Amino acid sequence: MSAFIPLLAALIASGVCAYQRAGLRTWTAVTAVAIVVFGLIAYAPVATVVTLILFGLIAVPLNLDSFRRTRISAPLLKMFAKVTPKLSDTEQTALEAGTVGFEGELFSGKPNWSELLKQPKPELSAEEQAFLDGPVEELCGMLDDWQVTHELADLPPEVWDFIKQNKFFGMIIPKRYGGLEFSALAHSAVLQKVASISSTAASTIAVPNSLGPAELLLHYGSEEQKDHFLPRLADGREIPCFALTGPTAGSDATSIPDFGIVCKQMHEGEEVLGIRLTFDKRYITLAPVATIVGLAFRMYDPEHLLGETEDLGITLALIPRETEGLEVGRRHLPLNVPFQNGPVRGKDVFVPLSTLIGGPDMAGHGWRMLVECLSVGRAISLPSNATGGVRAASAATGAYARIRKQFGLAIGRFEGVEEALARIGGYTYATAALSRATAAAVDRGEKPAVPSAIAKYHATEWGREVSRDAMDVHGGKGVQLGPSNYLGRAWQGVPIAITVEGANIMTRSLMIFGQGAIRCHPYVLKEMQALSIEDKKERLKTFDRALFGHIGFGFSNAVRAFTLGLTHAKIGKAPGDAYTRRYYRKLNRYSAALALCADVSMGVLGGRLKFKEKLSARLGDVLSYLYIASAMLKRYEDSGRPEADRPLLAWAFHACVWRMQMALDGVIRNFPVRPVAWLLRALVFPFGRREVPPSDRLGHRVAALLMCPSEARTRLLEWSFMTPTANNAIGRMNALLPDVIAAEPIERKFLKALKSGKITAHEYTEKLAQAEQQGAISEAERELLQRVHDATLEFINVDDFDPSELVAAKVRDGKSGKESGKGSKQAA
Ligand SMILES: Cc1cc2nc3c(=O)[nH]c(=O)nc-3n(C[C@H](O)[C@H](O)[C@H](O)COP(=O)(O)OP(=O)(O)OC[C@H]3O[C@@H](n4cnc5c(N)ncnc54)[C@H](O)[C@@H]3O)c2cc1C
């Protein structure tokens, strides 16, 4: 038995070194010492020598740099060059466009939590807070969603004016150009608050502040273009839109068929060099009211008027609305959320070269310009709008579940409804933390390509889940549209957020892991970049360094995933308090498991992984849930570890971890090379799948929290419009909640009086009066019950209409409906 001790010592020492990420030299030294020391202790000289020789056969070649490079790394470099899929220009541009933040740590298998926790707490400046409490509050008070979505199919003129005058369109524009120059956090807070009352207004405001002319001009515009356009965009004299998508080029935006030919033509009385454009764009937000149209097209110079190159590539221009031949003004109708959206078309439209964003030097750089700017806008606009929506849904559904009574009980007391409320509360907490973390990353100067895709996908998907649950809890009240319905339009509009700025299926299956794996992996990009180094010696040296780093990384992750799996993540150094330390440990475990599975998938499947979207999507899910869970823990820390938030944090955290486990299980179960899958299962789930979804008891606590005013509930509803104004039923219902709760024990006394049979009246007010006369309730209690009863009816009631009110105006006015949709048919 003692003969095996040196071998065992070697294995354990290697395991410890791998777990701790020791370098090659340290591993060699520690393992050799362990073999000798334990061999001596066990009095096994022969076994010690044999083990040392075997160990030396492996360790010595690895430690001899030139031998390792020429004999091991060089042949592997050749193989690697053969199997590595060549990145398309589009992919290369996308990869180079962003930065790597904390998501890189999560992908490393051993996250350095201090990197997360030392990030400054994101906060609004006094000026930003004043804007939120002033103009944003005022704007929210002006928004009547029924008027916008049904009567006008547009924002009323006074709202448009207010938005422009108060520079809502200039949040990202620097002050020197007359903009507000807000932080990303403030930008996000404004969108959240507006979205909590009107998704039409929020979408309208989001677009000029997201990817579009202002952002592009700021980064690439000539000084002349900046000086001219930015002040006019900031105060709304110019309304921008950006037209990329067309009937044949949607998700595959680089395939746009729209083209521009460089030519000379008479323009304003003189012959100028310009571009003759032909394009057919659709779905373009703000296009119907835009005064300048940002346009993406492919530029060709067949007569070589600009230089040698004929196909210059994707190029961006800013075209004034009044340009001859520009067809703009017709509208699409996106699911009854009538923000301005429509087609933009033109045939042989001539524009001078000065319309190119950044001038002729930027011709052909359009795709890079778009991708470089994309992540910043995407990190804010849709995640913030979704967060505003889920916060409002939480407020509304929590209050409604307490106000609405059936079978003598508030419906939120029934376990079935409680389950839906728990999901609403948990996902709202997670979405809000995600949105805040991504905005904070932008404020730190990151271009968060992977987090923005995570935020876009998960915030909008949770928006969809929360919206569905909110509708279910409201029953018929949610279904019947009208001025008193505060949920239906948001629910109808959910697929819009799912589709825009990278449709969700593609974002999940192609982008999150596809970009995350290469971008966040500490070695893959370095290995790939080594291939393009011209100098042979340098190429081999760089590749060798990356390769052996990668091998050590792989071993380390296997050991860490297995060890943390064996112990169910009960060990290891972790930050946090007594409550959250176990959460950090769990994330350590799944970080290692993700890094292992990702490496194995890339190593075994190589370029094929790109087409195995179902595997790639699940790996992306693990990265996403790790990111979201970290964002929640950071939020908890930043809020001063509030005990009151724990049910929300715990519910959302367990939901994330459970989903991580199921995603990893899905990867392993469907991994095409079965023996590899068996090995992965043994390493990742040595005791099987032991994570469980949030418990019913936890769900009960979250549901209770949603139905009762508290410090945690107020934090959950932060940055949502809760002022009880006439246009804000959710705010009014929320304000009624304390009275509803105070009335509950009195209602019980009143019910007891009713059951006694002494109350003979039929009408509610009379019954209350009798109860008071009989001493069952006091006068103040009667008044409270009456007040709550009347107010409750207002929230329970739905609208009804004279049939003529529901007939489309066109038909009512005697016009035929046949002309509708003409433009779309033309495009088709
Ligand atoms: C209301 C609205 C506003 C918009 N505003 C603008 C705007 O202002 N400017 C602008 O240029 N564009 C705008 N768009 C366009 C938007 O960005 C596109 O709709 C989006 O890119 C998807 O294109 P598509 O609708 O043609 O879907 P398609 O590309 O046809 O995709 C259909 C489905 O296939 C999936 N899919 C496609 N490729 C893959 C893949 N490789 N792997 C997995 N799944 C895939 C998609 O995820 C989607 O689910 C807007 C769209 C809408 C609906």
Side-chain angles (χ1 to χ4, degrees):
M1 181 64 195
S2 60
F4 289 105
I5 288 195
L7 181 62
L8 206 61
L11 289 175
I12 291 174
S14 298
V16 171
C17 287
Y19 186 91
Q20 296 295 352
R21 299 263 155 104
L24 187 62
R25 305 268 194 270
T26 314
W27 165 70
T28 310
V30 169
T31 309
V33 169
I35 294 169
V36 173
V37 170
F38 284 92
L40 289 176
I41 292 172
Y43 295 111
V46 179
T48 304
V49 172
V50 172
T51 312
L52 266 181
I53 291 172
L54 288 175
F55 175 65
L57 286 175
I58 301 170
V60 172
L62 293 181
N63 278 281
L64 296 174
D65 289 352
S66 74
F67 178 85
R68 188 188 64 231
R69 274 182 209 143
T70 47
R71 296 301 165 89
I72 306 175
S73 297
L76 286 175
L77 175 61
K78 269 193 194 150
M79 268 171 58
F80 186 71
K82 263 192 206 153
V83 299
T84 302
K86 202 172 152 30
L87 289 179
S88 66
D89 289 348
T90 315
E91 286 167 323
Q92 187 70 34
T93 308
L95 276 176
E96 285 165 4
T99 55
V100 177
F102 190 69
E103 68 280 9
E105 290 291 329
L106 294 170
F107 210 91
S108 74
K110 192 172 182 264
N112 180 357
W113 293 108
S114 63
E115 287 294 320
L116 176 76
L117 299 174
K118 75 178 184 203
Q119 288 167 3
K121 176 182 171 183
E123 271 172 320
L124 299 180
S125 69
E127 186 192 355
E128 292 166 344
Q129 185 64 52
F131 188 78
L132 211 59
D133 298 338
V136 182
E137 178 78 11
E138 202 179 328
L139 172 66
C140 291
M142 294 166 80
L143 292 165
D144 173 347
D145 205 43
W146 181 246
Q147 181 198 34
V148 170
T149 62
H150 183 74
E151 293 168 359
L152 300 178
D154 192 6
L155 299 171
E158 63 276 15
V159 169
W160 275 106
D161 288 345
F162 187 86
I163 287 175
K164 290 179 194 173
Q165 280 157 16
N166 286 280
K167 303 190 174 178
F168 278 81
F169 289 154
M171 284 191 278
I172 60 164
I173 297 178
K175 285 190 174 148
R176 66 178 184 282
Y177 294 112
L180 293 174
E181 198 174 348
F182 276 174
S183 64
L185 187 73
H187 176 182
S188 169
V190 170
L191 290 180
Q192 290 186 36
K193 190 158 176 170
V194 178
S196 71
I197 178 92
S198 163
S199 37
T200 307
S203 305
T204 303
I205 295 169
V207 167
N209 289 294
S210 182
L211 178 61
E215 175 88 359
L216 292 165
L217 283 169
L218 273 171
H219 286 90
Y220 310 102
S222 63
E223 287 311 311
E224 204 184 331
Q225 287 173 329
K226 286 185 198 172
D227 290 341
H228 175 74
F229 284 113
L230 292 175
R232 301 169 66 80
L233 286 165
D235 62 18
R237 272 174 289 163
E238 300 282 8
I239 302 287
C241 70
F242 190 81
L244 172 65
T245 307
T248 56
S251 301
D252 182 11
T254 47
S255 68
I256 44 171
D258 316 280
F259 61 91
I261 308 286
V262 181
C263 63
K264 283 186 179 158
Q265 195 167 313
M266 292 304 286
H267 181 70
E268 293 173 358
E270 56 178 320
E271 193 185 59
V272 291
L273 195 54
I275 316 141
R276 205 170 51 243
L277 293 160
T278 295
F279 49 92
D280 182 3
K281 304 289 193 184
R282 63 176 184 178
Y283 305 162
I284 309 307
T285 301
L286 292 188
V289 293
T291 57
I292 44 169
V293 175
L295 187 77
F297 60 95
R298 224 181 162 89
M299 187 156 143
Y300 297 93
D301 183 14
E303 293 175 43
H304 300 283
L305 296 171
L306 292 178
E308 291 301 304
T309 320
E310 260 185 47
D311 179 355
L312 287 151
I314 293 180
T315 302
L316 312 180
L318 263 189
I319 304 180
R321 186 186 183 96
E322 57 277 6
T323 303
E324 205 183 322
L326 177 66
E327 285 178 45
V328 59
R330 289 186 68 82
R331 290 183 64 179
H332 299 305
L333 180 54
L335 290 169
N336 285 346
V337 181
F339 56 88
Q340 294 283 339
N341 183 270
V344 179
R345 302 190 185 100
K347 186 160 172 18
D348 296 330
V349 175
F350 181 80
V351 292
L353 278 183
S354 58
T355 55
L356 296 185
I357 299 179
D361 287 350
M362 294 309 283
H365 292 285
W367 187 246
R368 183 171 62 78
M369 291 157 75
L370 288 176
V371 174
E372 279 175 1
C373 292
L374 187 71
S375 60
V376 170
R378 192 163 55 193
I380 299 165
S381 50
L382 287 156
S384 308
N385 285 0
T387 306
V390 295
R391 287 196 206 267
S394 276
T397 318
Y400 188 79
R402 187 114 194 198
I403 285 169
R404 174 69 170 164
K405 306 222 162 51
Q406 290 292 284
F407 306 98
L409 271 183
I411 55 168
R413 302 277 180 221
F414 297 109
E415 286 204 354
V417 174
E418 196 174 270
E419 224 179 1
L421 285 174
R423 282 193 296 266
I424 292 173
Y427 292 145
T428 300
Y429 185 80
T431 308
L434 172 61
S435 192
R436 177 181 277 264
T438 328
V442 173
D443 281 334
R444 287 194 301 275
E446 291 177 27
K447 287 197 169 181
V450 176
S452 71
I454 292 174
K456 193 276 159 171
Y457 177 84
H458 289 275
T460 55
E461 287 296 333
W462 278 337
R464 169 148 66 183
E465 289 195 40
V466 166
S467 179
R468 190 201 55 202
D469 276 329
M471 288 291 281
D472 288 355
V473 172
H474 278 77
K477 168 77 187 172
V479 171
Q480 300 299 353
L481 286 175
S484 347
N485 186 320
Y486 45 82
L487 282 181
R489 288 299 196 219
W491 174 81
Q492 262 186 303
V494 156
I496 300 173
I498 301 288
T499 302
V500 296
E501 290 201 32
N504 274 10
I505 295 180
M506 188 181 73
T507 300
R508 173 172 177 255
S509 23
L510 204 66
M511 290 164 71
I512 297 178
F513 181 75
Q515 290 198 11
I518 299 179
R519 213 187 269 272
C520 302
H521 196 291
Y523 299 105
V524 166
L525 193 57
K526 286 183 190 148
E527 286 162 346
M528 290 171 99
Q529 282 166 343
L531 293 182
S532 56
I533 297 177
E534 291 290 321
D535 181 66
K536 273 189 180 171
K537 223 169 145 190
E538 190 53 37
R539 186 191 316 157
L540 183 59
K541 202 171 150 195
T542 311
F543 180 76
D544 169 77
R545 209 178 307 123
L547 176 72
F548 278 89
H550 194 160
I551 292 171
F553 175 76
F555 271 117
S556 170
N557 287 324
V559 170
R560 288 181 67 80
F562 182 64
T563 315
L564 294 170
L566 269 185
T567 57
H568 200 42
K570 295 264 188 318
I571 59 162
K573 238 174 69 186
D577 56 20
Y579 190 76
T580 53
R581 201 157 298 130
R582 62 209 161 112
Y583 290 175
Y584 288 98
R585 289 196 178 119
K586 268 193 194 297
L587 299 187
N588 284 340
R589 174 186 176 186
Y590 285 101
S591 169
L594 169 67
L596 172 69
C597 291
D599 248 340
V600 171
S601 303
M602 287 190 281
V604 174
L605 301 174
R608 275 192 298 154
L609 183 57
K610 195 164 147 183
F611 304 101
K612 289 266 169 214
E613 285 195 350
K614 286 180 266 187
L615 286 189
S616 155
R618 292 183 184 111
L619 289 167
D621 287 347
V622 184
L623 179 61
S624 298
Y625 294 126
L626 281 168
Y627 183 80
I628 296 164
S630 315
M632 294 191 299
L633 288 170
K634 173 76 167 104
R635 173 78 178 122
Y636 174 78
E637 290 292 332
D638 284 347
S639 313
R641 302 177 172 175
E643 215 177 309
D645 284 10
R646 284 183 187 169
L648 293 164
L649 171 67
W651 194 98
F653 186 87
H654 287 299
C656 282
V657 171
W658 186 71
R659 284 176 180 222
M660 269 184 237
Q661 169 189 262
M662 299 317 283
L664 280 171
D665 180 61
V667 170
I668 296 171
R669 200 150 22 92
N670 294 286
F671 201 82
V673 185
R674 296 314 297 155
V676 175
W678 299 330
L679 180 66
L680 279 179
R681 187 168 291 285
L683 289 171
V684 173
F685 296 122
F687 287 133
R689 295 172 318 190
R690 292 176 60 199
E691 306 295 351
V692 288
S695 69
D696 289 351
R697 222 176 59 175
L698 196 50
H700 170 77
R701 290 173 64 200
V702 173
L705 192 151
L706 237 52
M707 290 193 291
C708 183
S710 69
E711 171 209 336
R713 188 175 186 274
T714 306
R715 244 191 315 273
L716 190 71
L717 306 184
E718 187 189 24
W719 298 337
S720 50
F721 180 58
M722 284 299 133
T723 313
T725 47
N727 66 329
N728 188 13
I730 298 178
R732 294 199 310 280
M733 198 158 57
N734 207 42
L736 180 68
L737 201 50
D739 275 356
V740 173
I741 293 167
E744 282 173 357
I746 308 164
E747 268 167 6
R748 283 196 287 277
K749 281 202 277 180
F750 177 55
L751 276 175
K752 208 168 148 196
L754 287 179
K755 278 189 188 150
S756 72
K758 289 182 197 154
I759 293 173
T760 51
H762 294 290
E763 202 269 326
Y764 187 75
T765 307
E766 287 169 17
K767 282 186 198 173
L768 282 182
Q770 279 187 1
E772 187 193 340
Q773 281 158 16
Q774 290 167 17
I777 54 173
S778 69
E779 185 190 353
E781 288 173 335
R782 177 185 55 76
E783 281 171 6
L784 177 64
L785 285 191
Q786 185 70 58
R787 195 166 66 245
V788 167
H789 176 78
D790 295 346
T792 303
L793 274 183
E794 186 205 330
F795 298 118
I796 289 171
N797 283 340
V798 299
D799 303 289
D800 44 54
F801 302 89
D802 183 276
S804 66
E805 288 179 80
L806 297 179
V807 175
K810 203 166 192 175
V811 178
R812 210 172 37 237
D813 300 345
K815 292 180 193 156
S816 140
K818 283 181 191 158
E819 290 297 300
S820 313
K822 188 176 159 201
S824 318
K825 280 175 202 150
Q826 274 175 352

